[in-house]
């Protein structure tokens, strides 16, 4: 039996509303160190909001958000800088700076943190671009890249400064099947090589089932269920079952 992992992040009774829209009423979820956990749920269920709460891009209205046992929910902007060094994010749009070269984009978090010699920055940039399968493109501009390449450069930047955790916001949206599979494989290889914890938001069931140690299903402001993909495939919970069966290509877990 595999021993339980140590918790890295814990959301406890989190609340978040935008006016009359109550996104989270009582959300609780634990993310274990070193795992890949994926958030599934309908559009507007708050999956991306959860990522932004963790790194302080949005404030929580209540509850606890713990990182390494420390409640960060009430941190101010200055204190969240340390959280963002430990937890990086690959945005859906990649969020590259068009005015900077690829190399300068990947180097950005290193220079922001400081303490790296220029030779170290160059070596780290080259290493991370190689890790995502794009060696030697430091001089290119983001405008010269395909959508899949931009996503991979965004991932190289996200892991440049050795974060403990990477948040993936719809990492395969808009990509063709070949690039989707490439991103899926990178999520796993980054975890294996760097030991990072990964929290993935996606609508892509095939990706979720491929990369995840566990899948959490978000509905009506709370986590409805969390567990391995095989458990989700076999669920009889009506909300989750109906969601999965409505997705193209879904095949339920075979039962004996």
């Amino acid at each position: 039996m595999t021993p339980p992992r140590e918790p890295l992040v814990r959301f406890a009774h989190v609340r978040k509303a935008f006016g009359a829209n109550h996104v989270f009423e009582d959300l609780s979820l634990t993310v274990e160190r070193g795992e890949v956990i994926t958030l599934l749920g309908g559009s507007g269920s708050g999956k991306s909001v959860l990522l932004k709460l963790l790194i302080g891009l949005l404030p929580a209205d209540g509850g606890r958000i713990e990182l390494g046992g420390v409640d960060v929910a009430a941190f101010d902007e200055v204190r969240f800088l340390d959280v963002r060094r430990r937890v990086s994010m690959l945005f859906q749009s990649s969020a590259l700076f068009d005015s900077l070269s690829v190399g300068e984009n990947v180097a950005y978090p290193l220079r922001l943190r400081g303490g790296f010699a220029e030779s170290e920055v160059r070596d780290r940039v080259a290493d991370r671009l190689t890790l995502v399968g794009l060696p030697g493109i430091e001089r290119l501009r983001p405008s010269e890249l395909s959508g899949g390449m931009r996503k991979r450069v965004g991932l190289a930047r996200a892991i440049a400064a050795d974060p403990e955790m990477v948040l993936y916001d719809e990492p395969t949206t808009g990509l063709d099947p070949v690039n989707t599979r490439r991103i899926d494989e990178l999520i796993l290889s980054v975890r294996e090589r760097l030991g990072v914890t990964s929290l993935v938001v996606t609508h892509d069931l095939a990706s979720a089932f491929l990369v995840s140690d566990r899948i959490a299903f978000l509905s009506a402001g709370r986590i409805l269920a969390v567990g391995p993909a095989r458990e989700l495939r076999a669920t009889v919970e009506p909300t989750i079952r109906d969601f999965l069966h409505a997705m193209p290509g879904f095949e339920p877990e075979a039962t004996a």
Side-chain angles (χ1 to χ4, degrees):
M1 182 176 179
T2 303
R5 293 185 174 103
E6 172 193 358
L8 175 61
V9 170
R10 193 188 307 273
F11 298 90
H13 310 293
V14 172
R15 303 190 311 278
K16 180 62 183 175
F18 299 97
N21 178 22
H22 292 264
V23 181
F24 302 139
E25 294 281 5
D26 184 16
L27 182 140
S28 295
L29 176 68
T30 297
V31 180
E32 299 170 353
R33 191 179 294 274
E35 76 169 332
V36 178
I37 183 168
T38 296
L39 277 176
L40 287 180
S43 298
S45 59
K47 300 183 297 297
S48 296
V49 171
L50 192 67
L51 304 186
K52 293 174 182 177
L53 290 176
L54 177 57
I55 56 175
L57 297 182
L58 290 171
D61 296 334
R64 294 177 62 85
I65 302 174
E66 298 177 6
L67 175 62
V70 176
D71 185 10
V72 305
F75 275 16
D76 60 19
E77 184 65 19
V78 172
R79 296 185 73 189
F80 262 115
L81 292 177
D82 181 60
V83 174
R84 293 169 194 156
R85 292 185 184 103
R86 298 173 64 186
V87 182
S88 63
M89 185 165 176
L90 175 59
F91 292 89
Q92 183 175 340
S93 64
S94 302
L96 300 179
F97 300 111
D98 289 332
S99 60
L100 301 180
S101 68
V102 166
E104 290 166 336
N105 266 282
V106 178
Y108 183 79
L110 302 172
R111 295 206 166 99
L112 192 64
R113 175 177 293 191
F116 294 92
E118 194 55 34
S119 59
E120 292 178 287
V121 172
R122 288 195 302 270
D123 289 346
R124 181 69 66 90
V125 168
D127 177 76
R128 295 306 190 252
L129 285 173
T130 298
L131 178 56
V132 301
L134 296 172
I137 69 164
E138 285 90 336
R139 294 181 182 274
L140 296 181
R141 294 279 174 171
S143 60
E144 300 177 83
L145 307 179
S146 67
M149 292 172 72
R150 288 174 67 93
K151 283 284 176 73
R152 285 189 279 161
V153 171
L155 178 55
R157 185 178 64 184
I159 60 176
D162 286 337
E164 294 176 56
M165 185 175 188
V166 177
L167 310 179
Y168 296 86
D169 189 10
E170 300 283 2
T172 61
T173 294
L175 300 183
D176 60 48
V178 171
N179 277 304
T180 292
R181 184 58 180 256
R182 185 175 284 136
I183 293 296
D184 292 340
E185 292 171 348
L186 283 173
I187 291 172
L188 294 174
S189 65
V190 164
R191 190 265 296 270
E192 292 305 313
R193 175 170 166 178
L194 303 180
V196 300
T197 303
S198 304
L199 177 54
V200 183
V201 163
T202 186
H203 282 99
D204 189 325
L205 283 185
S207 292
F209 291 148
L210 177 65
V211 306
S212 306
D213 295 304
R214 294 188 301 150
I215 296 174
F217 192 88
L218 182 58
S219 176
R222 63 188 181 91
I223 299 296
L224 196 56
V226 59
R230 65 180 180 276
E231 292 182 5
L232 204 70
R233 286 179 183 270
T235 187
V236 295
E237 203 289 325
T239 301
I240 302 174
R241 184 192 59 207
D242 291 349
F243 176 88
L244 295 178
H245 281 262
M247 300 297 285
F250 172 69
E251 296 181 3
E253 185 78 0
T255 54

